[in-house]
């Protein structure tokens, strides 16, 4: 994944494109919608967001209502996704669980990306002591092994609520993002338009946030999506291991109970399948979105490349296609 | 009176790691003055340090030594925001690459209006009007339409005009133009050059015109500075220097210009070499490895800049010997 | 260049035709949004000859070169005319035949080719790759050959071990040229090979190309927007405007007696290095949008000789497309005004 290579040079975020006279869609959104992968990913994620939004309306019962008479029922019209061994409705658990998963992912993503962007970009632009300080900090955080920290943190923290989890995940993941964003900011910082802004008297904060940052939108979005799905997966994983708050409704918790009660051994696949599928669907959507962002923002990954390279390999001097003239 | 004076300016970039650190002498002992209402051309091969000089004057780099005198005081190390802002409101730079010097995600309006707001050139209510006026000055019409565009929607020549409009927004006394036409089509170049001449004549702006195109230097400039490997090797009135160059390097540059008239003519012979700044250079003339006139002393003693003819000076032991050895 | 003195252009241009373009037309896209980037270009390159192709950016020079090599990629396609190579039409040839053809006969140095070297591969390995893709040659010999080629273009053969970033822009450009010569082509197409470089480096490179051309006898199609360069280096020059060829003539003749108003203005865009200085005007206006080119003569909106004050000419200029006509042996111009003057004379 090119996400891991901070030295790769990215084209700038695309400028806004005019759509029908007045309305302007930010250029990178238009680009994302034109890329097949990111369009599919975006649709999948938006679908989940929609489900989460209308969850209270479509959930038929309180997710933790139990009714032993209706326990262990296979999917039916009455219980779309079947019921648990306690007789709780799995459909309700899954749609309401989407709220927690998405909120947590988004919160962790915003926190980690915000910290990473502010620290990474400021460090890259200022250089010198500030840069060295931030570098030291990121290195410290990068050396902390994340999984044990998470297990310990979620095991010991009193309130194992969503906010705590989001903060812990953000703490674990920000350094990684900061390093990537710093790398890109470094390559942008020496571009002439940044120097030009400086020469016209622009102040440092304005250069960082007004001139540099808007050019990194696609990379920042990519960082956000990455943290989003890592957080989502990690959280579900921890809950599945029983390290979460077992009284709440979430995909991980449903999976945990399914596993504890060894439902599959008794031929009941649905308590596993539906929350698992919801998780897989969301993560797949996010991964596609990320792949799409990567492709759009990194011409070296564009799908037409191999074809063009093959064509040009037939020619002397055409070992690689010259960079787009615009980036000259 | 000079608008800006440069005295013995040097800039060394350090390269290599902390252990084996060496220094690129990008600019070495450069002195000259820019006068109001004149265009001074700075010519030289790529890598000779022209851009570095322009950026030093724009306060984008800190000099290693030397002074930049502006309004009677040395500004090369001012740090107070108020002083820096004052300097930036008087000295503006135009970059070489019109495709890189405009922020791709900002409109043309942003680029022209920001300097007006930063330096409070006009009350906010008039900013838009003034921006349109500036775009009109540089020949971008209709300004209302141009202002709403993004850089990628303009051609190279139009972008460079935006860059010029941005530089003019603060009504500077000094404009540093770093190869403003080298990335543009020939048919557009003349337009930009004419614009510079017009601004010099109408507003008395002092221009530093950085280029490697001698013919265009002759077309617009009054004075010329020839740079080689970080040093100024010749300076003087442009017509005089190009008609009767003193330094062997100036002659080489002149000979390299494509000229149909010289189709079959003989050319000055040179040995290969590069003009880029030397890493930890030794004493002696930096042109010695390529110079057809070199004598013994050239490789031991750095020649000083000597005024061998009225107003024309060169750094060469042979063609411009120092008075003591004459 | 001195070589030209040794071998008069007249002799070189009397050889037999290597490449002929006949009424070549190339379109990007199709239908209403189609752009005809090249429209009816006739051009001939003889063996061992240096032909210059000049014009403002966007006028279709690179597109012509790509059409010669048959490497146009969709949405571009040849919509008319033929590309005759030693009498054989390349349009419509199978990819496999073309692949061999390109290597044996024509090679091209792309615009901004300096950046086309793989940054993480040694220069020598890139040569070896290029050679081995098309010829059975063992690594050792290929490397030795790479060294020889580098020396040909004035780079120390030990530099085969260098990475591209260790070379200056001018050296990288020379490496690319050496690669283009690695299979003894008959025709080398150079697309703005020196635009990014300064005059001294540019001259060195062109001198090397010229020396190699003398030794190996290949023909050169030299594309640039710097007409003054062509006047010095080319045998024959073709001027393009908005997808059309407007004038072709031997270099000396074009320099001293340009006939097309566009060529005249283009030549006047260069300030002189000696002699009297006068204010130049360049060419007012800008090149037309090729998706909606001006009717009649495409240059008419910018042409100083076009106006309602000469009604008989004005009507033709704005409605009828001028065609290339010979005004002197080897000198052809597409302009109604020139045509009229010739008739009077
Ligand atoms: N930031 C830097 N770090 C290290 N060396 C530098 C830096 N900037 C410039 N140099 C070196 O200083 C010398 C002069 O560079 P400069 O960019 O001023 O040349 P130039 O004459 O403008 O060339 P060009 O025509 O290619 O722009 C070169 O040798 C260059 O490698
Ligand atoms: N991929 C493309 N799609 C559409 N139009 C193109 C494309 N490439 C080039 N053109 C158009 O074709 C014309 C000729 O382009 P080109 O041959 O690259 O010009 P030059 O080499 O003279 O700069 C221009 O008008 C350009 O806008
Ligand atoms: S000082 Fe010597 S080496 Fe330098 S330019 Fe003069 S003659 Fe040549
Ligand atoms: S045909 Fe007419 S408009 Fe076209 S170039 Fe000739 S004189 Fe000008
Ligand atoms: Mg420069
Ligand atoms: Mg081109």
């Amino acid at each position: 994944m090119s996400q891991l290579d901070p030295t790769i040079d990215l084209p700038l975020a695309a400028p806004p494109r005019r759509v029908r006279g007045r309305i302007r869609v930010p250029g990178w959104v238009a680009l994302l919608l034109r890329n097949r992968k990111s369009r599919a990913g975006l649709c999948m994620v938006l679908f989940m967001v929609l489900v989460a939004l209308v969850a209270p309306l479509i959930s038929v019962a309180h997710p933790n209502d139990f009714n032993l008479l209706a326990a262990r029922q296979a999917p039916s019209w009455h219980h779309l996704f079947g019921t648990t061994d306690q007789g709780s409705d799995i459909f309700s658990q899954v749609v309401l669980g989407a709220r927690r998963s998405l909120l947590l992912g988004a919160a962790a993503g915003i926190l980690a990306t915000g910290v990473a962007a502010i620290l990474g970009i400021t460090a890259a632009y200022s250089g010198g002591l500030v840069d060295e300080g931030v570098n030291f900090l990121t290195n410290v955080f990068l050396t902390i092994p994340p999984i044990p920290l998470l297990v310990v943190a979620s095991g010991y923290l009193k309130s194992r609520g969503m906010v705590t989890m989001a903060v812990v995940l953000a703490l674990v993941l920000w350094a990684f993002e900061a390093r990537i964003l710093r790398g890109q900011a470094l390559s942008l910082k020496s571009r002439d338009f940044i120097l030009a802004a400086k020469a016209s008297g622009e102040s440092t904060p304005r250069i960082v946030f007004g001139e540099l940052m808007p050019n990194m939108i696609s990379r920042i979005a990519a960082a956000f999506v990455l943290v989003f799905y890592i957080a989502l997966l990690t959280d579900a994983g921890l809950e599945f291991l029983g390290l979460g708050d077992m009284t709440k409704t979430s995909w991980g918790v449903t999976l945990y109970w399914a596993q504890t009660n060894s439902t599959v051994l008794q031929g009941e696949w649905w308590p596993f399948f539906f929350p698992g599928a919801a998780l897989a669907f969301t993560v797949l959507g996010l991964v596609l979105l990320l792949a799409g962002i990567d492709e759009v923002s990194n011409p070296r990954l564009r799908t037409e490349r191999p074809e063009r390279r093959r064509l040009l390999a037939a020619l002397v001097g055409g070992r690689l296609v010259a960079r787009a003239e615009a980036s000259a | 009176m000079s608008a800006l004076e440069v005295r013995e300016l040097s800039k060394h970039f350090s390269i290599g790691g902390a252990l084996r650190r060496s220094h690129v002498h990008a600019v070495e002992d450069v002195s000259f003055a820019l006068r109001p209402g004149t265009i001074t051309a700075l010519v030289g091969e790529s890598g000779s340090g022209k851009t570095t000089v322009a950026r030093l004057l724009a306060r984008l780099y800190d000099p290693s030594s030397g002074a930049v005198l502006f309004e009677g005081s040395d500004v090369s190390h001012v740090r107070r925001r108020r002083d820096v802002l004052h300097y930036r409101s008087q000295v503006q730079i135009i970059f070489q690459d019109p495709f890189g010097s405009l922020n791709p995600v900002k409109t043309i309006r942003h680029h022209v209006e920001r300097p007006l707001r930063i330096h409070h050139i006009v009350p906010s209510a008039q900013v838009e009007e003034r921006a349109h006026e500036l775009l009109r000055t540089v020949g971008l019409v209709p300004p209302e339409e141009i202002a709403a565009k993004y850089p990628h929607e303009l051609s190279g020549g139009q972008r460079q005009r935006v860059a010029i409009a941005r530089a003019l927004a603060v009504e500077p006394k000094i404009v540093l133009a770093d190869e403003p036409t080298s990335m543009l089509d020939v048919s557009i170049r003349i337009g930009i050059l004419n614009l510079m001449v017009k601004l010099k004549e109408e507003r008395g702006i002092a221009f530093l015109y950085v280029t490697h195109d001698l013919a265009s230097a002759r077309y617009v400039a009054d004075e010329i500075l020839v740079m080689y490997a970080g040093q100024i090797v010749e300076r003087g009135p442009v017509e005089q220097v190009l008609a009767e160059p003193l330094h062997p390097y100036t002659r080489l540059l002149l000979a390299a210009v494509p000229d149909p008239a010289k189709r079959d003519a003989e050319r000055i012979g040179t040995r290969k070499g590069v003009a880029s700044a030397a890493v930890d250079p030794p004493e002696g003339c930096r042109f010695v490895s390529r110079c057809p006139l070199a004598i013994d002393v050239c490789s031991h003693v750095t020649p000083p800049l000597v005024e061998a003819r009225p107003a024309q000076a060169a750094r060469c032991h042979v063609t411009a010997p120092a008075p003591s050895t004459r | 260049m001195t070589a030209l003195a040794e071998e008069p252009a007249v002799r070189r241009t009397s050889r037999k035709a290597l490449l002929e373009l006949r009424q070549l037309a190339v379109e990007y896209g199709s239908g209403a949004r189609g752009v005809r980037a090249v429209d009816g270009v006739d051009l001939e390159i003889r063996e061992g000859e240096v032909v210059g192709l000049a014009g403002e950016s966007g006028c279709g020079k690179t597109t012509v070169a790509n059409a010669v090599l048959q490497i146009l990629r969709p949405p571009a396609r040849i919509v008319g005319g033929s590309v005759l190579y030693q009498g054989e039409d390349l349009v419509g040839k199978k990819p496999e035949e073309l692949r061999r053809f390109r290597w044996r006969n024509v090679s091209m140095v792309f615009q901004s080719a300096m950046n086309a070297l793989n940054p993480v591969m040694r220069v020598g390995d890139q040569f070896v790759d290029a050679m081995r893709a098309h010829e059975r040659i063992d690594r050792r010999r290929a490397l030795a050959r790479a060294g020889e080629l580098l020396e040909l273009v004035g780079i120390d053969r030990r530099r085969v071990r260098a990475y591209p970033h260790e070379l200056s822009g001018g050296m990288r450009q020379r490496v690319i040229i050496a690669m283009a010569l690695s299979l003894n082509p008959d025709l080398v197409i150079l697309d703005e090979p020196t635009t990014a470089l300064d005059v001294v480096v540019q001259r060195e490179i062109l001198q090397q190309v010229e020396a190699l051309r003398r030794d190996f006898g290949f023909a050169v199609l030299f594309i640039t927007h710097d007409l003054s360069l062509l006047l010095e280096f080319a045998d024959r020059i073709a001027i393009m405007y908005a997808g059309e060829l407007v004038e072709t003539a031997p270099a000396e003749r074009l320099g001293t007696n340009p006939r097309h108003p566009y060529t005249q203005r283009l030549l006047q865009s260069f300030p002189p290095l000696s002699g009297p200085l006068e204010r130049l005007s360049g060419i007012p206006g800008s090149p037309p949008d090729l998706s909606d080119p001006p009717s009649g003569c495409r240059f008419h909106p910018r042409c100083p000789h076009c106006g309602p004050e000469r009604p008989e000419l004005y009507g033709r200029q704005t409605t009828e497309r001028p065609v290339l006509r010979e005004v002197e042996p080897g000198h052809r111009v597409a302009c109604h005004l020139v045509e009229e003057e010739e008739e009077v004379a």
Side-chain angles (χ1 to χ4, degrees), chain C residues 86-340:
Chain C
Q86 293 177 331
E88 202 179 337
D89 194 351
L90 300 181
V91 178
K93 265 208 190 306
K94 290 201 194 71
E96 184 49 34
E97 287 170 321
L98 280 174
R99 199 174 70 92
R100 231 171 299 123
F101 151 78
R102 272 182 221 127
W103 264 86
R104 285 280 113 83
N105 305 300
V106 184
S107 55
M108 174 156 169
V109 173
F110 291 94
Q111 197 164 2
S112 66
M114 287 195 314
N115 304 326
L117 289 169
N118 185 341
V120 296
M121 229 170 131
R122 290 180 198 279
V123 167
D125 293 336
Q126 303 194 40
F127 265 93
V128 173
D129 259 22
M131 282 186 231
R132 296 230 299 196
H134 299 270
E135 206 183 4
R136 235 173 268 144
I137 180 169
D138 69 77
R139 208 187 128 75
R140 263 268 206 55
R141 288 209 4 244
L143 261 184
R145 178 106 147 261
E148 281 165 32
L149 285 163
L150 284 186
E151 234 151 54
L152 274 182
V153 294
I155 295 176
D156 192 311
R157 66 164 63 213
R158 280 169 301 188
R159 294 289 193 136
V160 292
R161 297 189 50 75
Y163 286 99
H165 72 89
E166 295 167 26
L167 305 175
S168 75
M171 287 165 91
R172 285 203 294 265
Q173 194 68 30
R174 275 183 271 193
V175 167
I176 298 278
I177 288 171
M179 275 193 182
L181 299 178
S182 62
L183 271 146
N184 291 334
D186 297 328
L187 173 63
V188 178
I189 301 178
L190 304 172
D191 189 1
E192 310 250 3
T194 55
T195 306
L197 308 171
D198 67 82
V199 280
V200 178
V201 180
Q202 165 173 299
R203 174 158 299 271
E204 272 173 17
I205 288 180
L206 293 182
Q207 270 168 347
Q208 252 141 13
V209 169
E210 178 60 22
L212 293 167
R213 194 199 59 73
R214 233 184 308 143
D215 293 344
F216 294 106
F218 50 81
V220 176
L221 176 61
F222 193 125
I223 298 174
T224 177
H225 62 244
D226 191 346
L227 194 49
S228 64
L229 203 63
L230 289 182
L231 288 173
E232 196 185 334
F233 285 94
D235 298 322
R236 227 147 40 77
I237 298 177
I239 308 286
M240 265 185 99
Y241 183 76
E244 299 176 339
L245 221 54
V246 295
E247 181 161 12
T248 70
E252 277 124 279
R253 205 176 148 73
L254 196 92
T256 52
N257 191 13
R259 297 298 298 275
H260 198 281
Y262 176 63
T263 316
Q264 290 169 349
R265 298 235 118 190
L266 208 53
L267 279 167
Q268 283 161 11
S269 305
F270 296 93
L273 201 51
S274 50
L277 263 187
E278 53 200 73
R279 177 73 2 119
L280 304 176
S281 56
I283 307 178
S286 52
D289 173 10
L290 287 183
S291 60
D292 182 23
S295 60
C297 172
R298 290 191 174 172
F299 189 56
H300 86 252
R302 299 169 80 185
C303 182
H305 307 295
C306 177
E309 62 280 356
R310 294 185 63 177
E312 69 316 331
L313 207 54
Y314 186 67
R316 278 183 81 193
Q317 282 165 336
T318 50
T319 54
E320 188 190 325
R321 188 176 152 180
V323 291
L324 277 178
R325 264 173 230 269
E326 195 146 76
V327 292
E328 288 271 322
H331 188 171
R332 303 195 297 158
V333 186
C335 171
H336 294 310
L337 183 70
V338 173
E339 208 175 290
E340 205 157 86

Side-chain angles (χ1 to χ4, degrees), chain A residues 304 307-308 311-320 322-323 325, chain C residues 71 73 99 102-103 107-108 110-112 116 118 129 134 179-180:
Chain A
E304 80 220 51
E307 163 68 12
R308 184 157 50 160
L311 245 172
L312 285 178
L315 290 165
V316 199
R319 297 296 309 148
L320 277 170
R323 275 199 228 142
E325 266 169 341
Chain C
I71 50 163
R73 280 167 27 82
R99 199 174 70 92
R102 272 182 221 127
W103 264 86
S107 55
M108 174 156 169
F110 291 94
Q111 197 164 2
S112 66
N118 185 341
D129 259 22
H134 299 270
M179 275 193 182

